[in-house]
Amino acid sequence: MAAQAHIARPDPHTASDKEWGEYLFMRKNPKGVHFERWFHANGCRKWFHMARHTVSHEILAIYGITEPAPKLDGGEGTS
Amino acid sequence: MTQAFRNADGGLIDRGTRINFTYDGQRYQGNAGDTLASALLANGVRLVGRSFKYHRPRGIVGSGAEEPNALIQLGEGALTEPNTRATQIELFEGLVANSQNAWPGVGFDIGGINNIVSKVIPAGFYYKTFMWPAKSWMLYEKFIRGAAGLGKAPTEPDPDIYEKRRVHCDVLVVGAGPAGLAAARAAGASGARIILADEQSGFGGSLLSSKATVDGKSGAQWAADVTQELAGQEEVRLLPRTTVTGYYDHNFLVAVERITDHLPFADRKGPRQRVWKIRAKQVILATGAIERPLVFAENDRPGVMLADAAKTYVNRFGARPGSRAVVFTNNDSAYRAAIDAADGGIHVVAIVDLRAKPEGTFVRQARDRGIEVIANSAITAVKGAKQVSEVDVMTLSDDGTSVSGGRRSLDCDLVMMSGGWNPTVHLASQSGAKTVWDDTLATFLPGEPKQAQRNVGGVAGQFGLAACLESGASAGAGAALDAGFDAQAGKTPAIEAGEGDGELNLRPIWTVPSDRKGAKRFHDFQNDVTAADIALAHRENYASVEHFKRYTTTGMGTDQGKTSNVNGLAILAELRNEPVPSVGHTTFRPFYTAVTVGALAGNDTGPQLLDPVRKTAMHTWHEAHGAHFEDVGAWKRPYCYLREGESVKQAVDRETLATRTSVAILDASTLGKIDIQGPDAAEFLDRIYTNMFSSLKVGSCRYGFMCKDDGMVFDDGVTARIGENRFLMSTTTGGAPNVLNWLEEWLQTEWTDLEVYCTSVTTQWAAIAIAGPNSRRLLSELTNVDLSNDAFPFMTWQDGDVAGIPSRIFRISFSGETGFEVQCPASYAMALWRALMTAGEKFNIMPYGTEAMHVLRAEKGFVIVGQDTDGTTTPHDLGMSWIVSKKKDDFLGKRGLARPDTLREDRKQLVGLITDDPNEVIPEGAHISPEPHAPPPVPMEGWVSSSYYSPNCGRSIALALIQRGHERMGESVAIPLEDKVVRAKIVSSVFFDEEGERLRG
Ligand SMILES: [Zn+2]
């Protein structure tokens, strides 16, 4: 189970419809480094972060689910 | 029949072991070591198939995986396998093979009429004809399918067994030719764990069909000795008859081993094929190269063969593919083939060379032997219908685009062609390395490796034996070193002078000119595509390589264009006036050769293994009492219990009526159950559910809705408060795993401040629903718990013994009747079930199944998430706004429910439907249309989500999601079906006991 990571849930009381829509539906599909959330569903049930290159499928970093993205060549680091 | 074209000696076949086989109903003999192709050639069989589109007669072109023509329907009945290549089928006693795509046989073929009318089937014919309108496809389908069908799939179940194995290794070597063997030897000497795989039965690759000597012995002997040496090493695994079919991420490769396909049927034991899933630290690709045809006039006549294939048949199998050969080439390698053919008893009439001044070791040797070399010339016509009988040769212009001068005819029955070599870059390309164009070799080479991978030998464009052995040994040592072992390349074996010369001195002429207008020049034999078709695609602007491929169908046959792709691309590049690399090539997708589906399934066949079955604790009771099961998720649930002579509908009606009349019990064990604990459990549930749970008292339960953050209903169920900090959540049967994942997601990623723990207890607790007016009387006979309405009100729970079994009793109901649900440890559930059935005899108790449950809940208008919702349905759409808290500051879905789209007034809303004809049960999923007679696409305004015959209402009932449904009560709507239009009235979704008196009574 993988999906784009580091999407902050906006404050539901102040977020505009557009902001909420972007939070719900808009996802990146980069050719290159992608920061993703993964879930070990049939194992330890842990969510974790992975930086993965979508072309080479190289795994560039694994880090905790509450940790910010590391700085990597070819991809932006966000938190 | 005698093997008239078999040499008395030479080659690797065993002349002492005769093998009987049948081809197209005719019996033949071959020898041990033969392929079907070599045995057919030895018997003088030249015509082996008809072409795909024009049904032109075709012969064997290659000697391996590249073969485009000699496609075989192998075996009979359930064991039959289509589209196998005669060149790769090892002969075995009793083999039965049939040619394909020809009826009644290759010799006389009705479809051959296509050849005469070929002008009406140009490239793009399929493309244009079948795009639109659909009617054209209907018109042509029968004709095309009949004529164009390749092999036939078996219609019976596959009786063979297959298996899968996973394995790790330090170095995987793909291909056991000279380079691969040298690599495996160097790597193996280090003690590293090696796998060496090759698609052929024996290791040696090109050495098996070469006269070169290595270390003073024949190439085949050297290969056998090295194989022997490797077999003796503990960490080396040799996989002959194994095709590495795909190269994936992280050096993961898949290979298919054919274990018993080469054996007579009586000797076949154990699995037929085995799929290897290999994770390699280092990979060495020694996949070799495939010779490329020349694209010249009538080059598809039977008897026109790749030069190296002819050499292979002569050298390895002692089989002569012809008696009088003309060699046609643009490079040096065909000269060696010509010399070997001459040595093998074939009269080489002449070598026609497209180059102006051919020189080089083998050219000289050929001339020295007295073989005539006709330089700067081209074959301009090939004559003979079912076999080559003559070729015409003319002089080539300097630029290679036209021919002139006198026409010289050469009498021959074999044309050995060579247009150069295409490295087998498939796996390298799949590994992520971009191919690079090499101008000297005029072909694609593997690019810079993207994974821990090396290329050696032919695939790396090395065609000299010395270079292959050297690069193999060096790569083997390098890979072992990189895998952490101490390795050395060792000494390169000695080879004869001249053998090291792998130079081709190639002159690419992609389309060989001819003076014959309209003569077909095929570049793709299997799919019948010609240079003219490429020109047509180009003219019609299908110039992108992906469009060109689909338009002309180049490379789309079962051979996946192994001989045709580069020629096709190069011809297209010429037309576009661009270099080949800027045209590019299509993707080299797995699998390299076709893989039978059974091999991929492996052991995971049969209903038990393909999809594991979950059974409740009462399953054997259900089985013994006529249960008609249905699958719900992975669970087997009784749909109904059939009595002798009863139909399914009768059983469902009986169970439905019994529940409302007296008492009935349901095995509800499959409902998901999640134990939720922690100091923040109540706060957590307030955020997860749309309604409030923190206000729930210990001892009570509440029905809740979960939405995704977009406001769409995701799951539902009753959750009980077990303690201040403990809840037992129930979920839908199918949704249980997703709900648990959902809870974990929010706890771990967003609400890390909450201390809550979630555990699935679905299988720990069995559950039995007891429903009906007599449910209280029944249960009170088995428990001391006071079940009266005052002591045990609706939507509460209590612990207590039932039939002596420690249980938890819930006062809940999904049927709308007075009801209880008893949960007990699963190991006690059968005893509890039996106790209820026994005690219930005096009430005429019945078990009821899921369908009666569905009818009962539909009578009450209770929704089933996933049936009456589709992921775009909100609680408001379901008419259940009461379940959405207005007090809570936030919950998942709250903001989503306030989005403009979610507030739209024309949303589909859940309503009841009653048909004008009370006996008409609308099919579930049927559309509701405001204009049922409009031409397609018919406009629609909703759909029927649930539909049953309700015995309690004495008529059919349905639930539907329909636009603005809530404000359209009483309106008549139309439901167009295949053969009629059904009319129904919109009504409330509650059909029975609207006040809910039975529920609370
Ligand atoms: Zn884990």
Side-chain angles (χ1 to χ4, degrees):
Chain A
M1 202 184 286
Q4 185 185 331
H6 307 298
I7 301 168
R9 187 173 189 256
D11 181 343
H13 304 96
T14 57
S16 68
D17 288 331
K18 186 169 186 295
E19 282 165 345
W20 198 258
E22 276 172 7
Y23 149 70
L24 287 175
F25 306 120
M26 303 313 277
R27 296 293 180 268
K28 286 180 188 166
N29 186 18
K31 187 175 182 179
V33 180
H34 193 28
F35 297 93
E36 296 170 330
R37 300 191 318 170
W38 285 73
F39 178 51
H40 194 183
N42 295 315
C44 63
R45 313 199 55 76
K46 200 167 192 143
W47 282 89
F48 59 96
H49 277 130
M50 180 191 293
R52 186 176 66 91
H53 197 286
T54 58
V55 179
S56 69
H57 293 186
E58 198 179 345
I59 295 165
L60 302 160
I62 300 275
Y63 53 103
I65 194 65
T66 57
E67 288 174 47
K71 292 273 183 215
L72 294 168
D73 288 346
E76 72 249 59
T78 49
S79 57
Chain B
M1 258 213 168
T2 55
Q3 300 184 38
F5 290 82
R6 183 80 76 182
N7 287 338
D9 48 37
L12 303 174
I13 54 155
D14 175 4
R15 287 180 175 74
T17 309
R18 297 265 171 145
I19 293 179
N20 298 292
F21 69 100
T22 306
Y23 173 72
D24 274 352
Q26 180 112 26
R27 300 172 69 85
Y28 297 95
Q29 272 194 340
N31 294 93
D34 260 328
T35 62
L36 176 58
S38 67
L40 287 173
L41 289 171
N43 281 283
V45 177
R46 299 284 181 266
L47 177 61
V48 294
R50 289 275 172 171
S51 74
F52 181 64
K53 205 155 64 182
Y54 307 126
H55 278 238
R56 286 166 70 102
R58 290 285 163 80
I60 295 165
V61 167
S63 59
E66 74 282 4
E67 175 59 37
N69 287 345
L71 298 182
I72 297 296
Q73 184 85 36
L74 185 63
E76 296 169 308
L79 292 169
T80 193
E81 187 172 5
N83 305 329
T84 55
R85 291 161 297 278
T87 51
Q88 291 192 298
I89 299 167
E90 289 179 60
L91 209 60
F92 59 83
E93 183 65 34
L95 177 148
V96 177
N98 283 289
S99 58
Q100 290 182 177
N101 197 25
W103 182 87
V106 288
F108 175 82
D109 176 61
I110 282 171
I113 197 158
N114 282 9
N115 197 10
I116 300 160
V117 297
S118 69
K119 283 214 165 67
V120 305
I121 316 182
F125 172 77
Y126 294 78
Y127 211 96
K128 289 172 186 163
T129 308
F130 307 132
M131 292 295 277
W132 194 262
K135 268 187 203 150
S136 301
W137 171 237
M138 309 294 234
L139 188 68
Y140 290 107
E141 185 186 15
K142 219 174 155 185
F143 164 72
I144 296 291
R145 284 239 188 269
L150 288 167
K152 287 180 177 59
T155 52
E156 296 152 58
D158 189 344
D160 285 314
I161 57 168
Y162 303 85
E163 67 176 32
K164 288 185 264 194
R165 267 181 91 168
R166 288 162 205 277
V167 67
H168 290 254
C169 66
D170 296 310
V171 183
L172 168 67
V173 183
V174 184
L181 282 173
R185 190 189 210 183
S190 74
R193 189 181 299 176
I194 311 293
I195 294 176
L196 174 60
D198 192 285
E199 63 180 353
Q200 297 208 52
S201 56
F203 285 175
S206 62
L207 292 174
L208 303 178
S209 53
S210 157
K211 289 212 193 150
T213 61
V214 184
D215 264 350
K217 39 194 162 189
S218 76
Q221 188 58 51
W222 181 82
D225 290 350
V226 173
T227 305
Q228 183 91 40
E229 179 188 321
L230 288 166
Q233 290 172 14
E234 203 179 331
E235 295 292 349
V236 174
R237 187 192 295 277
L238 302 179
L239 295 177
R241 298 188 177 94
T242 303
T243 308
V244 178
T245 57
Y247 194 143
Y248 307 89
D249 297 325
H250 308 292
N251 264 359
F252 178 70
L253 295 94
V254 171
V256 180
E257 179 184 7
R258 291 167 297 277
I259 306 169
T260 63
D261 284 359
H262 62 292
L263 299 174
F265 288 106
D267 298 346
R268 297 187 183 187
K269 302 272 181 322
R272 178 191 170 209
Q273 295 183 5
R274 180 182 291 131
V275 167
W276 290 87
K277 300 186 172 188
I278 304 168
R279 193 72 78 167
K281 278 190 192 149
Q282 300 285 325
V283 171
I284 297 174
L285 297 180
T287 49
I290 291 172
E291 197 165 24
R292 160 167 98 201
L294 285 166
V295 183
F296 59 104
E298 317 286 351
N299 60 341
D300 67 324
R301 300 261 187 237
V304 180
M305 181 181 278
L306 292 168
D308 190 70
K311 176 182 127 179
T312 297
Y313 290 117
V314 173
N315 285 351
R316 178 170 172 182
F317 301 102
R320 299 186 305 277
S323 303
R324 294 172 58 82
V326 171
V327 179
F328 187 23
T329 186
N330 66 1
N331 70 87
D332 282 356
S333 71
Y335 283 79
R336 177 154 46 172
I339 293 164
D340 287 1
D343 286 346
I346 296 173
H347 175 61
V348 179
V349 178
I351 299 174
V352 180
D353 200 319
L354 289 160
R355 298 172 296 177
K357 283 199 172 75
E359 282 160 13
T361 315
F362 296 107
V363 180
R364 221 169 27 248
Q365 282 180 19
R367 282 202 172 104
D368 290 349
R369 288 186 53 126
I371 299 174
E372 183 188 1
V373 176
I374 310 175
N376 203 36
S377 294
I379 293 182
T380 55
V382 181
K383 294 165 194 170
K386 290 174 186 171
Q387 170 149 15
V388 175
S389 60
E390 194 179 63
V391 296
D392 285 350
V393 177
M394 292 173 73
T395 304
L396 193 64
S397 64
D398 285 348
D399 64 359
T401 60
S402 62
V403 283
S404 62
R407 190 180 299 125
R408 190 175 154 194
S409 294
L410 302 174
D411 180 30
C412 62
D413 62 358
L414 174 66
V415 176
M416 295 165 54
M417 63 179 161
S418 177
W421 291 82
N422 292 330
T424 311
V425 298
H426 302 64
L427 294 177
S429 176
Q430 288 167 23
S431 79
K434 276 214 167 62
T435 56
V436 290
W437 180 258
D438 183 288
D439 264 328
T440 312
L441 298 171
T443 192
F444 289 103
L445 293 177
E448 194 61 35
K450 284 284 191 291
Q451 304 196 35
Q453 176 247 318
R454 292 165 164 80
N455 305 295
V456 296
V459 69
Q462 298 155 349
F463 299 115
L465 186 51
C468 287
L469 293 167
E470 256 171 46
S471 72
S474 139
L481 276 172
D482 285 355
F485 293 81
D486 197 9
Q488 288 179 341
K491 199 163 108 333
T492 304
I495 55 167
E496 260 175 63
E499 289 291 354
D501 176 10
E503 292 206 354
L504 300 180
N505 301 310
L506 182 133
R507 180 191 186 189
I509 291 186
W510 300 109
T511 321
V512 177
S514 169
D515 60 327
R516 298 188 155 218
K517 293 275 170 281
K520 286 192 189 312
R521 294 176 290 188
F522 289 91
H523 69 281
D524 190 313
F525 297 115
Q526 190 178 103
N527 265 359
D528 259 3
V529 196
T530 66
D533 293 328
I534 301 178
L536 178 65
H538 175 70
R539 276 202 307 280
E540 300 198 346
N541 203 25
Y542 287 88
S544 138
V545 63
E546 297 289 351
H547 290 149
F548 146 79
K549 167 179 171 169
R550 283 153 186 85
Y551 189 85
T552 63
T553 71
T554 294
M556 287 171 70
T558 62
D559 62 344
Q560 288 288 289
K562 289 186 177 64
T563 54
S564 65
N565 280 342
V566 174
N567 277 337
L569 297 171
I571 294 168
L572 180 66
E574 267 183 350
L575 291 164
R576 280 169 52 172
N577 262 322
E578 285 177 54
V580 184
S582 66
V583 170
H585 57 72
T586 53
T587 311
F588 291 97
R589 289 202 172 80
F591 304 128
Y592 174 65
T593 47
V595 176
T596 196
V597 173
L600 298 173
N603 320 65
D604 302 337
T605 54
Q608 300 303 312
L609 290 167
L610 187 63
D611 192 8
V613 170
R614 301 183 80 182
K615 298 171 181 172
T616 72
M618 292 80 104
H619 187 81
T620 52
W621 191 97
H622 303 325
E623 275 181 328
H625 290 80
H628 172 63
F629 288 100
E630 72 164 333
D631 294 333
V632 184
W635 292 99
K636 290 283 177 206
R637 299 194 69 181
Y639 179 90
C640 63
Y641 298 81
L642 288 169
R643 289 183 178 175
E644 186 101 18
E646 210 175 35
S647 71
V648 168
K649 181 181 182 301
Q650 285 167 339
V652 171
D653 286 355
R654 170 177 52 72
E655 293 170 12
T656 308
L657 282 168
T659 311
R660 299 226 188 276
T661 319
S662 179
V663 64
I665 61 173
L666 171 86
D667 181 355
S669 306
T670 62
L671 282 186
K673 302 171 208 76
I674 301 171
D675 192 341
I676 297 168
Q677 301 188 42
D680 300 311
E683 166 68 18
F684 176 57
L685 291 184
D686 274 350
R687 298 187 194 181
I688 287 287
Y689 279 118
T690 60
N691 45 342
M692 190 81 89
F693 275 78
S694 53
S695 60
L696 188 68
K697 290 190 177 61
V698 175
S700 285
C701 20
R702 187 165 286 164
Y703 175 73
F705 255 3
M706 277 178 217
C707 288
K708 290 277 173 98
D709 226 358
D710 56 5
M712 303 304 154
V713 176
F714 161 57
D715 206 82
D716 69 341
V718 171
T719 287
R721 191 162 200 167
I722 306 298
E724 192 54 34
N725 297 329
R726 183 171 187 187
F727 293 81
L728 184 65
M729 173 188 281
S730 71
T731 73
T732 58
T733 296
N738 295 337
V739 171
L740 182 59
N741 293 350
W742 180 244
L743 302 182
E744 293 281 14
E745 176 175 350
W746 286 91
L747 282 173
Q748 290 184 38
T749 68
E750 197 73 22
W751 302 329
T752 52
D753 54 317
L754 298 186
E755 189 181 355
V756 181
Y757 305 92
C758 303
T759 309
S760 169
V761 292
T762 301
T763 47
Q764 278 70 23
W765 296 95
I768 301 171
I770 305 163
N774 284 321
S775 56
R776 182 179 288 115
R777 286 172 65 192
L778 167 62
L779 190 54
S780 61
E781 298 206 0
L782 296 173
T783 182
N784 294 325
V785 175
D786 182 354
L787 301 174
S788 69
N789 222 358
D790 292 340
F792 206 147
F794 184 55
M795 294 310 272
T796 62
W797 65 270
Q798 291 184 39
D799 282 333
D801 283 1
V802 180
I805 295 163
S807 302
R808 183 170 287 150
I809 307 168
F810 299 79
R811 176 86 198 276
I812 55 176
S813 172
F814 193 43
S815 59
E817 291 299 318
T818 305
F820 297 88
E821 185 177 305
V822 183
Q823 294 190 2
C824 72
S827 52
Y828 289 104
M830 182 70 102
L832 179 57
W833 181 272
R834 286 182 195 279
L836 284 163
M837 284 305 295
T838 306
E841 274 170 19
K842 62 169 85 69
F843 305 109
N844 201 19
I845 190 173
M846 272 179 213
Y848 68 106
T850 52
E851 187 62 1
M853 175 188 82
H854 285 152
V855 176
L856 290 163
R857 66 89 202 177
E859 289 172 348
K860 292 290 299 172
F862 295 155
V863 299
I864 291 184
V865 172
Q867 175 163 347
D868 303 302
T869 70
D870 66 356
T872 68
T873 314
T874 69
H876 303 302
D877 297 338
L878 295 171
M880 294 173 74
S881 300
W882 55 267
I883 208 167
V884 181
S885 167
K886 291 191 180 68
K887 292 183 203 147
K888 289 196 286 185
D889 180 58
D890 189 20
F891 59 84
L892 294 181
K894 183 180 167 87
R895 180 66 184 84
L897 286 169
R899 295 180 63 245
D901 187 65
T902 333
L903 295 171
R904 252 175 40 234
E905 283 179 0
D906 62 345
R907 291 183 63 83
K908 295 194 184 86
Q909 296 168 331
L910 188 82
V911 295
L913 284 184
I914 51 171
T915 47
D916 292 359
D917 173 1
N919 291 313
E920 177 82 45
V921 181
I922 312 166
E924 285 175 354
H927 287 298
I928 300 159
S929 173
E931 294 172 62
H933 298 289
V938 179
M940 59 166 277
E941 55 181 341
W943 52 282
V944 176
S945 59
S946 293
S947 180
Y948 310 93
Y949 182 79
S950 160
N952 292 302
C953 301
R955 59 154 303 125
S956 68
I957 58 170
L959 297 174
L961 284 154
I962 182 164
Q963 282 176 348
R964 300 175 187 273
H966 293 158
E967 62 186 49
R968 293 170 63 184
M969 288 298 144
E971 206 178 290
S972 175
V973 292
I975 299 109
L977 299 179
E978 199 172 16
D979 50 352
K980 60 182 170 183
V981 174
V982 172
R983 297 213 68 97
K985 194 169 73 168
I986 299 179
V987 295
S988 153
S989 58
V990 185
F991 299 94
F992 189 82
D993 185 27
E994 199 146 352
E995 303 308 314
E997 282 161 10
R998 289 166 161 257
L999 193 67
R1000 291 181 171 79

